[in-house]
Amino acid sequence: MRFRLALCNGALFGALSLAVFLVVYIALTSSLGQRADDDLLSTVKEFEALYATNGVEALRAEFQREAESRGIKRVFFRLMSPRRELLAASDLRAWGKMNGIALRPAGLSNEGVGFRTVSVPGRRHKVRVILKRTADGHMIQFGATLQENEALMEKYRETFGTALAVMLLCGGAVGWILAGRAMSGVERVTQTAVRIGQGDLSRRVPLGNEGQEIEDLAKAFNDMLARIQMLVRELKEVTNNIAHDLRSPITRVRGIAETTLAGDHNFDAYREMAGAVIEESDRLVAMINTMLEIAQTDSGIADFSKTPVDVGKLIKDARELFRPVAEDKGIHLQVDVPVEHLTVLGDTARLQRVVANLLDNAIKYSSAGGNVLMSTKATAPGVAIEVVDVGVGITDGELPHIFERFYRGDRSRSTPGSGLGLSLARAIVRAHGGDITATSSPGKGSTFTVLLPAVSSPL
Ligand code: ADP
C-alpha cells in the first residue's frame, strides 16, 4: 500500500511536470518560429526594395554581403526569373544540391509570400525558407538554418528530462514519507489488534497526529475495545456470581434432601422436602433469570421497545399493585404526581419493574405504621421519579454498594431477597439513558431517585 501510494504520488508529480513541459514547449516553439519568420520576411522585403530600386546587380552584391555577414553555411539567397532561371545567388557551395529547396510559387499567399521548412540532404538541422514574389514576377528566396532554434529546444528537452527525473524521484520520496506517516496509524491499529489477539484486552491504540481519518479509526477501534472489555468483564462477573452466589442455594437444596433421607422415612417428610425443594428451585430460577436480564441489559443486547410512557400512571399502577402487601404490613402508600402528564420514551414493562423493585424495597425495609411516598416531577434534563420511605435506612458504609449484584445490607439478612433488585433497576434505567441515585439516613429512611430523559412532546 505504501509503495503504491508512493508510486502514485511520483506518477502524479511526473504527469503534472510533463503537462507543464508540453505547454512551455509548444509556446516556446511557436514563439521561436514566429521570430524566425519575422526575420526572414523583413530581410526579404529589404531585398525586394533594393531590387526594385537598384536592380539585379545591386541585389547580387547585397546577397553576397549579407550571406558573408550571417555565415554562408547558415543562410542562402536566390533570385529567379519568372521562368525559374537563376539570376543571382549568394555563395551556395555549402548547400549542396538545391533540388530539395525547389521554388514552388503555387503555395504563395495573396501578398506573394510563402514559408516552408525543409530538410536538406547532408544537413543535420532543418532549414526555414521564405519565397517572395516581386512586383515584376521575379522570385526572391531566403533560407536560414534552424540550427540555433533546434539546439535551444534540444537543450530545453535535456534540461527538462533531468528535472523530470528529479521530480519523479522527489515525488516518489515525498509520497513514500507521507504514505509511511499515514500508514503508521494503521500499523498501530494492527499491532494493537495483534496484542489483543494474544489476550491483552487492556491495550489501546495510542492516538497520533496522522490526520482525522486515522484518528477516527483509532478512536472507533478503542471504543470497540472498551465495549468488548466491558462485555468480557460482565461475563466474568456473571461467572463469579454463579460460582459464589448460586452455590449456597443449591447447597441448601441438597441439604434439605440429605436431611430428609437421613431422617424418618415417612411420606409427610418427603412431601415437605419436595415442597421446600420446589420453593428453593423457583427462587434459583428467578435469580438466574434476573442475573441474565441484568447482564443482557448492561451489555446492550436486551431487546427494548421504546414507546412513550406516562410516569404518573406508572407509579399509580405500582401503588395499586402493592396496596395489599402494604396494607398487610400497615404501611401507608402515598402518590404525588403533577397535573400535567410527564412522559418518557421507554420500555413500559421494564420501567414498571424498576418502580416495583423500589416500592418493594421501601415496603420491605419499613416497619408497621411507616409511610412511603412516590412522586414524579419535571427536572431540567428530564423526569424524576422519587420513592421516599421512613424505614430502617442505609448506613454510609453500605450506601456505595447497594447497586452491586448480590449485595445485601447487614440489616436485610432477616428479610427475603436476592440482592439483585437494585442492580437490575440501575441497569434498566441506564439503558434508558438515565440514572438512579440513593440518599439515606440510618433509622430515618431512604430516598431513591430515578432520572430519565424526557420526550419533548407530551402524551
Ligand atoms: P434485596 O432487597 O433483595 O436485598 P436490592 O438489590 O433490592 O436487594 O437491595 C440491596 C440492598 O440495599 C438491600 O439488601 C438493602 O440493604 C438495601 N436497600 C435497598 N432499598 C432499601 C430501602 N428502601 N431501605 C433500606 N435499605 C434498602
Side-chain angles (χ1 to χ4, degrees):
M1 178 108 174
R2 186 177 183 185
F3 179 70
R4 279 214 304 268
L5 281 175
L7 207 66
C8 282
N9 208 50
L12 194 70
F13 260 57
L16 281 175
S17 312
L18 209 64
V20 171
F21 163 78
L22 283 176
V23 170
V24 175
Y25 189 82
I26 291 166
L28 208 62
T29 317
S30 122
S31 138
L32 285 175
Q34 191 59 50
R35 244 177 50 193
D37 285 359
D38 288 350
D39 177 44
L40 289 176
L41 187 64
S42 70
T43 310
V44 160
K45 278 185 175 164
E46 278 169 27
F47 286 146
E48 186 185 11
L50 186 71
Y51 169 69
T53 50
N54 298 348
V56 180
E57 281 314 311
L59 193 58
R60 182 175 294 132
E62 188 57 27
F63 275 175
Q64 206 53 42
R65 231 167 20 85
E66 189 70 24
E68 271 164 17
S69 79
R70 293 194 186 212
I72 55 166
K73 286 183 181 167
R74 302 168 76 86
V75 295
F76 71 85
F77 306 99
R78 290 198 288 182
L79 174 70
M80 317 284 252
S81 71
R83 271 178 283 147
R84 311 257 180 114
E85 294 150 342
L86 184 64
L87 301 179
S90 60
D91 190 340
L92 295 179
R93 271 173 303 170
W95 290 89
K97 288 188 179 149
M98 297 295 282
N99 301 348
I101 319 173
L103 293 160
R104 289 215 195 105
L108 300 190
S109 70
N110 291 344
E111 290 163 356
V113 181
F115 288 98
R116 279 174 66 212
T117 302
V118 294
S119 300
V120 179
R123 278 183 163 258
R124 198 156 85 85
H125 301 285
K126 287 189 172 151
V127 178
R128 185 75 172 156
V129 180
I130 181 170
L131 192 63
K132 172 95 179 69
R133 190 172 30 226
T134 60
D136 58 3
H138 285 60
M139 295 284 184
I140 300 175
Q141 194 185 36
F142 172 18
T145 176
L146 289 173
Q147 185 179 350
E148 273 157 26
N149 287 5
E150 284 180 4
L152 191 73
M153 293 319 288
E154 201 176 305
K155 190 86 202 140
Y156 175 73
R157 281 196 302 270
E158 268 170 24
T159 315
F160 185 81
T162 317
L164 183 68
V166 174
M167 293 282 261
L168 277 173
L169 275 176
C170 286
V174 169
W176 181 258
I177 293 165
L178 287 180
R181 283 194 59 190
M183 296 314 287
S184 73
V186 178
E187 230 154 71
R188 273 187 292 132
V189 178
T190 313
Q191 279 165 8
T192 314
V194 169
R195 288 211 189 95
I196 287 160
Q198 291 158 356
D200 187 0
L201 263 181
S202 62
R203 288 265 168 188
R204 291 292 178 276
V205 183
L207 297 180
N209 54 354
E210 288 92 356
Q212 197 59 44
E213 291 83 356
I214 298 289
E215 289 316 289
D216 288 348
L217 171 71
K219 274 194 200 124
F221 193 77
N222 285 346
D223 287 350
M224 184 187 74
L225 280 180
R227 183 134 182 79
I228 291 174
Q229 201 179 9
M230 198 268 276
L231 287 175
V232 171
R233 200 185 317 121
E234 196 74 22
L235 197 72
K236 270 191 195 153
E237 256 176 51
V238 172
T239 324
N240 285 345
N241 289 161
I242 289 174
H244 296 114
D245 300 274
L246 297 188
R247 192 176 282 160
S248 41
I250 292 171
T251 316
R252 222 171 20 245
V253 172
R254 194 181 180 284
I256 296 168
E258 212 169 26
T259 324
T260 316
L261 273 181
D264 294 341
H265 292 259
N266 64 42
F267 184 71
D268 282 349
Y270 281 114
R271 265 186 84 95
E272 206 178 303
M273 178 199 78
V277 167
I278 289 174
E279 204 178 300
E280 283 292 341
S281 304
D282 283 350
R283 228 191 348 258
L284 258 171
V285 170
M287 262 168 84
I288 292 170
N289 284 342
T290 313
M291 267 172 60
L292 284 177
E293 209 175 331
I294 296 172
Q296 284 175 348
T297 311
D298 267 346
S299 59
I301 55 169
D303 215 3
F304 273 38
S305 68
K306 290 266 169 94
T307 50
V309 180
D310 181 348
V311 285
K313 185 173 178 310
L314 203 71
I315 62 172
K316 280 184 196 156
D317 288 351
R319 179 183 52 183
E320 292 318 308
L321 197 71
F322 280 84
R323 198 194 289 276
V325 190
E327 275 171 7
D328 275 359
K329 247 191 117 174
I331 290 165
H332 182 57
L333 292 186
Q334 262 184 298
V335 163
D336 178 16
V337 293
V339 186
E340 83 271 22
H341 291 280
L342 296 177
T343 311
V344 295
L345 202 61
D347 187 306
T348 314
R350 285 185 165 100
L351 289 177
Q352 267 167 351
R353 190 101 189 255
V354 173
V355 175
N357 280 358
L358 295 181
L359 189 53
D360 183 41
N361 280 349
I363 297 170
K364 221 161 55 175
Y365 301 112
S366 292
S367 16
N371 202 31
V372 175
L373 171 67
M374 288 190 290
S375 61
T376 62
K377 62 173 184 240
T379 62
V383 174
I385 304 171
E386 244 178 32
V387 180
V388 186
D389 65 64
V390 286
V392 292
I394 307 161
T395 62
D396 288 349
E398 290 174 339
L399 202 58
H401 303 290
I402 56 170
F403 292 102
E404 289 168 13
R405 248 173 278 184
F406 290 105
Y407 182 82
R408 303 208 69 206
D410 275 343
R411 273 169 296 175
S412 6
R413 302 281 176 221
S414 52
T415 26
S418 61
L420 290 174
L422 286 182
S423 317
L424 179 62
R426 188 172 68 173
I428 294 173
V429 172
R430 286 194 173 167
H432 279 80
D435 207 357
I436 180 166
T437 52
T439 54
S440 184
S441 14
K444 289 189 183 153
S446 317
T447 300
F448 284 83
T449 310
V450 175
L451 273 171
L452 290 165
V455 190
S456 46
S457 61
L459 274 178

